Amino acid sequence: MTRRIVRTISQLAAAALFAFLIIFFLDRNFRLLPNAVHEYMPQHHHGLVVTDITITTCSKVNLFSSCKLDPEVWHRIEKNLYLDKSWASSAYVHIQRKKEEELKSDDKVIVDVTISRLDPSTGVKGHADEKWESRPAGLWVLRSSKPTASDSNKAITAVDVLFGDDAVEARDGWELQNTPLLLDSGTDIPVAHLTVRRGSQIDPVKPQPRVNDNGKFKIMQLADLHLSTGVGHCRDPVPDGYEGGACLADPRTLDFVSKLLDEEKPDLVVLSGDQVNGDTAPDAQSAIFKYAQLFIKHKVPYVSIFGNHDDEGSLPRPGQMALIEQLPYSLSVAGPDDIDGVGNYYIEVLAQGSSRHSALTVYLLDSHAYSPDERQWSGYDWIKKNQIDWFRQTSEGLKKKHKEYTHIHMDLAFIHIPLPEYRDADSQHVGVWREGVTAPKFNSGFRDALVEQGIVMVSCGHDHANEYCMLSTNKETKKPELWMCYGGGAGFGGYGGYGGFVRRVRFFDIDMNEARITTYKRLEYGDTSSRIDQQIIVDGGGAIAPRQQR
């Protein structure tokens, strides 16, 4: 009896699977199912499909000229294709889009786009029957009225614009049009590239950082990349030229970062602020994608916080973080809404193997930008009390869980603007102190909170030419309590100078077997292979003085 029941169930399951495959095939090719049923099929796009694209150009000097279309029909991408740099003209991309179930029999779905001065079907074998439609700025769209067009993997479901000859796409499922839109923008305005997504949105890859099987974990800190929209301009480069030509800031910066990613093979990248050079980045998204694409290519997870320049251009911090959160390999999050700043959060680095225990906790806090009280505390902003309270509460809440780790658990922190204690000239430091420390004049007590919660190391950026690690000790016992490091400026779009400062990147080589942290820097020019100022800053889970190294 049991055998007969099992056989019957198997036959019914096989028949159901066969029927599903037949229905799936017929619906995919002939769209036979009603919309109410089709919505639950795997090929259905649970969102919008693009039915048309156009570009409007308008005059800033003609009051009767407009770049607006009927908002009930068209959605405008709010990026001026001239980046507000043209005194005479503006231009915008507009798209029509519909939900798949709302498509009518006479609607067409865009399945391809290209940029060309000529009809793409002209003289191309096999393309004579394709009806490419011309749009302004050299844009051509290929639309299909087939019932199954909206289900096709070719169906375009989203459109965006990126800028610059060096523009790259960092999102999964998106394709950048290599040829820019044909606009009369001149040489001073970065060219505009259309980028499109086909099919449904893909969930980004979010790897869990984990200590390697040998007990090691390496962090690469990238401070002050200062990337632009377009290739940017080098400031105080050493040397002036690059590879036999002129110095172009972003390509040179990204070449340096890419080389170190290949050679050092870090397990985590920490972007400690001023990734975007606000004044020269009218489209922050284009600048962000340039660094993100490098980490995605190398399959390295990364976290980021903001500096004082990131949001001086087109996109405020919340908008930038919303974008960064959705990128592959990005572990960045906006953090709690009820405390000051954007990007107050932590990540856990798990122990080796399949362990679910945390071996390292990395805290990241927003140090803001400029003082909110310039009259009393001129200069730069400080980490606020509610941020410090959040940090204390979070750290206390994790301590019990961290004790489950069989080795010594360690906690690190990263900020952008240095703490006031970085100015202590009497403290020991390793590395060069070239410029004045532009820490906030108001001391909110974050250094003491770090020590109280057992943080062994904090590192910042901001002052590009400073590249030291300073030991902060207990005032009474002189016992080492906290190492405070600078990353050293990595980007050529930010200032250098100070007697020929060479761009550099700081690494933290962590050995969980010994609860030891070794730090060093790598240079972009000169002695590019050596580990500069290599030193052990933490041993046995605690900060140690330079002369105590064993």
Side-chain angles (χ1 to χ4, degrees):
M1 184 67 179
T2 303
R3 188 176 298 171
R4 184 180 300 171
I5 293 173
V6 172
R7 184 169 64 249
T8 301
I9 292 173
S10 300
Q11 290 172 342
L12 288 172
L17 177 62
F18 179 75
F20 174 81
L21 292 174
I22 292 295
I23 293 172
F24 176 85
F25 174 80
L26 291 173
D27 186 61
R28 186 188 66 181
N29 290 277
F30 304 105
R31 190 64 179 277
L32 300 178
L33 296 176
N35 284 333
V37 179
H38 177 77
E39 289 180 28
Y40 295 95
M41 298 299 286
Q43 68 268 31
H44 172 68
H45 294 312
H46 298 279
L48 301 169
V49 291
V50 178
T51 58
D52 204 355
I53 308 174
T54 193
I55 294 169
T56 59
T57 302
C58 51
S59 171
K60 290 183 178 180
V61 296
N62 183 351
L63 297 178
F64 300 100
S65 178
S66 175
C67 281
K68 295 181 179 180
L69 299 178
D70 184 353
E72 297 296 322
V73 178
W74 294 92
H75 167 73
R76 189 171 89 169
I77 298 173
E78 294 301 330
K79 291 186 176 183
N80 185 342
L81 300 181
Y82 292 104
L83 291 171
D84 295 319
K85 290 179 175 291
S86 170
W87 65 270
S89 301
S90 296
Y92 292 88
V93 174
H94 303 256
I95 61 173
Q96 286 185 10
R97 51 190 184 177
K98 285 188 175 182
K99 290 183 178 180
E100 186 183 2
E101 57 268 24
E102 295 175 353
L103 291 172
K104 299 176 182 178
S105 58
D106 58 344
D107 283 326
K108 294 182 179 182
V109 174
I110 295 184
V111 294
D112 204 0
V113 300
T114 191
I115 312 298
S116 176
R117 297 187 185 278
L118 303 175
D119 185 338
S121 61
T122 303
V124 180
K125 187 176 181 181
H127 288 248
D129 58 338
E130 295 181 342
K131 303 298 183 183
W132 286 88
E133 301 174 42
S134 176
R135 300 289 185 268
L139 172 63
W140 294 82
V141 298
L142 182 63
R143 301 199 296 168
S144 174
S145 58
K146 293 180 181 179
T148 59
S150 61
D151 294 333
S152 167
N153 288 331
K154 294 182 179 179
I156 290 175
T157 54
V159 179
D160 203 352
V161 181
L162 297 172
F163 295 86
D165 290 323
D166 59 343
V168 293
E169 181 57 78
R171 295 167 291 191
D172 285 334
W174 287 76
E175 300 173 10
L176 182 77
Q177 300 299 305
N178 290 326
T179 302
L181 292 168
L182 304 179
L183 300 165
D184 185 20
S185 56
T187 58
D188 294 334
I189 302 175
V191 295
H193 292 262
L194 208 65
T195 180
V196 299
R197 186 185 73 206
R198 299 179 188 275
S200 301
Q201 182 171 327
I202 300 172
D203 291 333
V205 175
K206 302 286 185 179
Q208 170 63 58
R210 182 180 293 277
V211 175
N212 296 304
D213 290 341
N214 62 359
K216 304 290 185 66
F217 190 84
K218 185 184 289 186
I219 296 176
M220 177 186 197
Q221 180 190 355
L222 290 175
D224 300 274
L225 291 177
H226 284 268
L227 299 175
S228 299
T229 302
V231 297
H233 301 282
C234 287
R235 296 181 60 186
D236 311 311
V238 178
D240 290 338
Y242 182 61
E243 294 187 344
C247 178
L248 302 175
D250 289 9
R252 185 168 175 179
T253 297
L254 296 171
D255 282 352
F256 177 38
V257 173
S258 182
K259 174 177 179 286
L260 292 181
L261 287 170
D262 288 333
E263 294 179 359
E264 292 283 346
K265 295 179 173 51
D267 301 295
L268 175 71
V269 173
V270 174
L271 296 146
S272 58
D274 283 359
Q275 289 77 248
V276 177
N277 193 56
D279 287 345
T280 60
D283 185 62
Q285 181 180 1
S286 296
I288 290 168
F289 281 9
K290 287 191 282 190
Y291 71 69
Q293 191 258 359
L294 270 186
F295 308 138
I296 295 165
K297 176 183 175 182
H298 287 83
K299 298 182 178 180
V300 180
Y302 59 99
V303 290
S304 61
I305 50 179
F306 296 117
N308 52 297
H309 290 296
D310 285 288
D311 58 350
E312 290 179 336
S314 61
L315 198 58
R317 293 182 189 216
Q320 289 192 35
M321 186 58 83
L323 188 68
I324 295 166
E325 285 178 328
Q326 296 303 312
L327 295 178
Y329 290 88
S330 170
L331 306 181
S332 307
V333 293
D337 292 331
D338 57 349
I339 65 175
D340 286 287
V342 177
N344 299 293
Y345 62 107
Y346 69 93
I347 64 164
E348 300 280 33
V349 178
L350 301 185
Q352 58 258 57
S354 58
S355 173
R356 301 307 301 171
H357 294 145
S358 168
L360 287 167
T361 302
V362 180
Y363 291 94
L364 301 110
L365 286 92
D366 185 355
S367 55
H368 315 291
Y370 305 101
S371 173
D373 186 356
E374 192 65 30
R375 176 175 295 181
Q376 185 174 4
W377 308 103
S378 62
Y380 291 94
D381 207 346
W382 50 88
I383 294 174
K384 303 298 193 297
K385 182 180 182 300
N386 60 13
Q387 292 176 277
I388 298 173
D389 291 343
W390 167 84
F391 163 70
R392 280 196 170 106
Q393 293 164 8
T394 302
S395 178
E396 287 291 343
L398 293 172
K399 286 187 187 305
K400 183 178 179 181
K401 191 72 174 174
H402 289 167
K403 288 180 180 178
E404 297 175 3
Y405 179 50
T406 55
H407 292 63
I408 299 174
H409 185 279
M410 292 192 289
D411 299 284
L412 320 175
F414 290 89
I415 54 179
H416 178 69
I417 297 174
L419 302 174
E421 287 79 6
Y422 275 71
R423 294 194 187 102
D424 188 355
D426 294 328
S427 294
Q428 283 183 285
H429 68 273
V430 178
V432 184
W433 183 340
R434 288 185 178 84
E435 59 175 309
V437 175
T438 56
K441 289 186 171 64
F442 177 76
N443 193 333
S444 61
F446 188 48
R447 179 267 179 201
D448 293 342
L450 292 171
V451 172
E452 170 195 307
Q453 293 301 318
I455 305 297
V456 294
M457 182 279 299
V458 61
S459 195
C460 72
H462 191 56
D463 299 326
H464 304 180
N466 285 342
E467 36 133 337
Y468 59 82
C469 281
M470 176 177 284
L471 181 62
S472 185
T473 61
N474 184 285
K475 291 182 180 179
E476 296 178 359
T477 66
K478 304 302 180 184
K479 180 182 177 181
E481 291 185 325
L482 175 72
W483 275 98
M484 305 182 301
C485 295
Y486 273 108
F492 285 86
Y495 72 85
Y498 290 91
F501 173 74
V502 174
R503 268 63 176 193
R504 62 199 64 214
V505 168
R506 182 175 290 280
F507 290 88
F508 298 95
D509 205 349
I510 304 168
D511 184 350
M512 296 308 303
N513 303 305
E514 306 290 341
R516 177 183 296 158
I517 301 177
T518 303
T519 187
Y520 57 90
K521 295 156 292 190
R522 293 285 304 274
L523 301 181
E524 193 269 345
Y525 175 73
D527 188 0
T528 59
S529 60
S530 294
R531 295 183 167 191
I532 307 300
D533 294 329
Q534 179 168 299
Q535 60 165 330
I536 298 172
I537 57 175
V538 174
D539 204 8
I544 62 168
R547 293 189 179 88
Q548 289 180 304
Q549 297 181 18
R550 64 191 189 194

